Amino acid sequence: MSTAILTGQPVPGSSIEGDLRSLGFDVRVAADAADAERLVAEAPCDQRVALVDARFVGHVHALRLGLTDPRFSLAALPGAVTAQPDGRVTLTRVLARENSEGGGTAVAVDSLPDRIVTALAEDGAEVYRPELGSLVAAVPADPQARNEARQAVADVDDEAVRLKSAVKSRDGFFTTYFISPYSRYIARWCARRGLTPNQVTTASLLTALIAAACAATGTRGGFIAAGVLLIASFVLDCTDGQLARYSLQYSTLGAWLDATFDRAKEYAYYAGLALGAARGGDDVWALALGAMILQTCRHVVDFSFNEANHDATANTSPTAALSDKLDSVGWTVWVRRMIVLPIGERWAMIAVLTAVTTPRITFYVLLVGCAFAATYTTAGRVLRSLTRKAKRTDRAAQALADLADSGPLAELIVRFLPGPVRRTAPLSAAAGAVAVVLAAWAWGPAWQVVLLAGLYVLLSAEAVSHPLKGALDWLIPPFFRAAEYCTVLILAAKADVNGALPAAFGLVGAVAYHHYDTVYRIRGNAGAPPAWLVRAVGGHEGRTLLVTVLAALLTASQFTVALTVLAVAVALLVLVESIRFWVSAGAPAVHDEGEPA
């Protein structure tokens, strides 16, 4: 059990002890600073410890936000400071120093927790301070101030604030106005019954898989049920995050589930639609795979651009200034969020189209909408990159290199590419991608395509031969994703045999999972997947070359089997390593606070 140490005797009528116990703390009382230091040392080393001024007046939810969030080693709010096990050493050292300098004087003279927070900041320690908004957290100095603070607490309904804060600060129009107004109450219902965000996430996945199975029946009733269940899955998808924020139940396992299940649900639904269409005599596997490729490439554009500019200096541009001005006009905010087809709008559109039209029409509309959204967002980011004078950091360059997913072939070629830094890296990546994709389109399974794939390997190696700090170097990972995925799609389609496109769908899905896994590791500051895994799955250039060789060397039916075997091998490798990482104690707790595309 976590330990909360009250510094001083509680004021008569104070509810602080009961509030802390309601949050799961074992409450101890320290007579002075030296006693507080002793109690901190006696607290279990593997548990959280908190120092709270006994005069504290505030909302219970303010204490919850400041003292129970599992994502931060050190956290504080007025009159209170807390440390998780990995922050205990820092807290203990600062507390001992403060006592030594202050001579262990009575803590009633001033606020010991606030002094500790100031000392931690002076030492350069990162101390999380939650945004409290209208919530009250104060240490009144006299009876009049205490009465005023108590009145301020009474004037604000902290449960209403807690419900409101459970919803993301930035969400899409559909989510904000059609889901969150009631999903937050579902989240509270789940919290009061002891359900965890991971359980809700799993329920959302199961619901989406059932929706995909309904779509796979190919009947009108199945399509209608699939649309309804897809919306239900999205409601649960919103609820799990709101439950995590409502009850502050963040975890490494939850981070992995949250990071991967959204994509798994959507892409499984694409597969269900394709199966349903096939039952009706319509082959739309190429459209389903095209939708998955387009959506994945859109995400890579988002991830690469954000990582390239994560900590860039002088990170301003006229385009960004115009965007900020547009955000100040209320209606433009929603229009701009809607036209990029974020997950809420996209799933609603897919659900409605599934219920009232056919899978082919659903995919046509989805492809057109996502293509427009991708063009809009990418064009805006290219303009920002060209007009800003940002200096990118080594961290950003390394993140882009990790997102590029270059394998052993590129590593080997880079060793023989000395020379000055070239500013043509995006052009090299784009030229290689266009060459191999157009070759696959023109010749299909042929050795000419293998030659162009070899050129792609050379150009992709040249593109990553120097640190990716150029204005448009963030485009390199999306170029690589488009080249690999589209080559697989085209060669499978050119094989013109049953099973080739579903096998290609499986291969692209497995590789895409590997790329999403890389993104969320980087977001959690845990680095890319281990080098052995990247080498084992060949890197983007190795897989692309291998697929072209298999297509040229094997018959169409043999090529289908080869794609299936490759998909299973890649999936096993990346899933086993990913699961090992995300369920380990050292995995980062990454949770999106903005609605992803």
Side-chain angles (χ1 to χ4, degrees):
M1 178 180 287
S2 301
T3 301
I5 299 167
L6 287 177
T7 56
Q9 292 296 326
V11 176
S14 172
S15 63
I16 184 63
E17 289 188 73
D19 292 343
L20 290 170
R21 289 194 175 96
S22 71
L23 296 177
F25 285 96
D26 178 25
V27 181
R28 307 291 180 86
V29 177
D32 53 31
D35 195 26
E37 182 180 356
R38 178 184 63 80
L39 290 174
V40 168
E42 292 176 353
C45 295
D46 60 343
Q47 298 293 326
R48 176 190 293 272
V49 66
L51 289 172
V52 183
D53 194 298
R55 298 166 295 174
F56 178 88
V57 174
H59 288 100
V60 176
H61 190 51
L63 287 170
R64 180 182 290 108
L65 291 173
L67 301 183
T68 68
D69 197 319
R71 295 173 296 176
F72 307 100
S73 299
L74 296 166
L77 70 160
V81 61
T82 184
Q84 292 212 76
D86 56 344
R88 287 279 295 270
V89 173
T90 304
L91 177 67
T92 302
R93 183 181 67 249
V94 170
L95 178 59
R97 190 178 69 221
E98 287 296 306
N99 280 341
S100 176
E101 294 175 355
T105 55
V107 295
V109 176
D110 59 4
S111 177
L112 177 63
D114 289 343
R115 280 199 290 123
I116 295 299
V117 172
T118 300
L120 286 169
E122 291 173 351
D123 278 5
E126 293 187 11
V127 181
Y128 170 70
R129 293 177 174 83
E131 292 289 339
L132 297 180
S134 59
L135 296 175
V136 177
V139 180
D142 54 63
Q144 180 178 350
R146 172 171 292 277
N147 289 334
E148 292 174 353
R150 285 176 171 172
Q151 184 59 48
V153 170
D155 290 342
V156 176
D157 183 354
D158 72 337
E159 178 60 22
V161 173
R162 186 181 179 189
L163 268 175
K164 183 178 179 180
S165 64
V167 178
K168 288 180 182 177
S169 58
R170 178 184 175 88
D171 245 335
F173 179 84
F174 179 77
T175 305
T176 299
Y177 290 103
F178 292 90
I179 303 297
S180 293
Y182 58 88
S183 62
R184 69 183 73 182
Y185 295 101
I186 300 175
R188 181 171 67 180
W189 183 89
C190 293
R192 290 178 175 177
R193 283 151 184 80
L195 298 177
T196 67
N198 293 349
Q199 291 171 332
V200 178
T201 302
T202 303
S204 175
L205 174 66
L206 293 175
T207 304
L209 293 180
I210 295 172
C214 290
T217 63
T219 64
R220 178 51 51 194
F223 287 148
I224 294 173
V228 172
L229 288 171
L230 187 63
I231 294 297
S233 175
F234 183 66
V235 172
L236 292 173
D237 181 58
C238 295
T239 300
D240 65 358
Q242 291 165 357
L243 175 58
R245 285 181 287 274
Y246 181 84
S247 56
L248 298 184
Q249 295 184 71
Y250 299 106
S251 68
T252 55
L253 179 59
W256 175 64
L257 296 177
D258 187 58
T260 57
F261 278 14
D262 278 354
R263 305 287 77 79
K265 288 181 287 189
E266 184 167 359
Y267 299 157
Y269 192 83
Y270 292 175
L273 281 177
L275 288 170
R279 286 179 177 271
D282 190 11
D283 187 354
V284 297
W285 274 106
L287 296 177
L289 180 49
M292 181 166 69
I293 291 172
L294 180 55
Q295 192 57 39
T296 303
C297 289
R298 284 186 63 198
H299 286 142
V300 176
V301 168
D302 294 342
F303 299 145
S304 295
F305 179 80
N306 291 335
E307 288 302 325
N309 296 282
H310 176 73
D311 49 6
T313 57
N315 200 13
T316 59
S317 75
T319 307
L322 175 61
S323 178
D324 293 339
K325 288 182 180 180
L326 289 175
D327 281 343
S328 65
V329 182
W331 65 270
T332 66
V333 175
W334 294 118
V335 171
R336 294 169 68 217
R337 290 187 190 178
M338 291 172 67
I339 62 177
V340 298
L341 275 186
I343 188 171
E345 277 75 357
R346 190 171 68 254
W347 282 28
M349 181 185 73
I350 294 171
V352 171
L353 290 174
T354 299
V356 301
T357 66
T358 65
R360 180 172 290 274
I361 293 175
T362 300
F363 282 124
Y364 279 152
V365 176
L366 179 63
L367 286 166
V368 171
C370 287
F372 175 81
T375 302
Y376 170 78
T377 55
T378 304
R381 286 165 177 172
V382 168
L383 285 175
R384 290 190 185 197
S385 300
L386 292 175
T387 55
R388 66 172 34 132
K389 300 183 183 297
K391 183 178 180 181
R392 292 183 172 84
T393 63
D394 292 337
R395 177 199 175 280
Q398 184 58 53
L400 291 180
D402 292 335
L403 290 173
D405 190 35
S406 298
L409 290 178
E411 290 179 1
L412 179 63
I413 295 170
V414 165
R415 297 177 186 176
F416 299 96
L417 292 175
V421 175
R422 289 173 288 277
R423 301 186 182 278
T424 59
L427 292 177
S428 297
V434 170
V436 70
V437 171
L438 288 183
W441 182 273
W443 290 303
W447 289 106
Q448 297 96 311
V449 182
V450 177
L451 291 176
L452 270 297
L455 176 63
Y456 169 70
V457 172
L458 292 173
L459 289 175
S460 63
E462 193 277 334
V464 297
S465 60
H466 295 285
L468 303 181
K469 294 185 177 182
L472 296 178
D473 283 359
W474 57 270
L475 285 169
I476 292 174
F479 285 149
F480 290 164
R481 296 298 82 76
E484 179 183 1
Y485 299 164
C486 289
T487 300
V488 174
L489 165 61
I490 293 170
L491 291 178
K494 292 281 187 177
D496 196 22
V497 63
N498 288 336
L501 281 168
F505 190 96
L507 175 58
V508 172
V511 175
Y513 176 86
H514 168 56
H515 292 144
Y516 282 116
D517 185 52
T518 301
V519 165
Y520 283 95
R521 292 192 195 214
I522 293 172
R523 282 187 170 185
N525 294 317
W532 71 262
L533 178 64
V534 177
R535 295 191 183 102
V537 296
H540 70 93
E541 79 288 355
R543 290 188 299 269
T544 303
L545 180 60
L546 176 60
V547 169
T548 61
V549 170
L550 291 173
L553 187 63
L554 303 175
T555 65
S557 58
Q558 290 172 336
F559 179 59
T560 299
V561 174
L563 285 180
T564 304
V565 172
L566 186 58
V568 172
V570 171
L572 286 176
L573 280 170
V574 299
L575 279 173
V576 169
E577 164 55 24
S578 177
I579 292 171
R580 181 209 63 78
F581 171 78
W582 285 101
V583 301
S584 68
V590 180
H591 293 267
D592 284 330
E593 289 305 316
E595 185 172 70

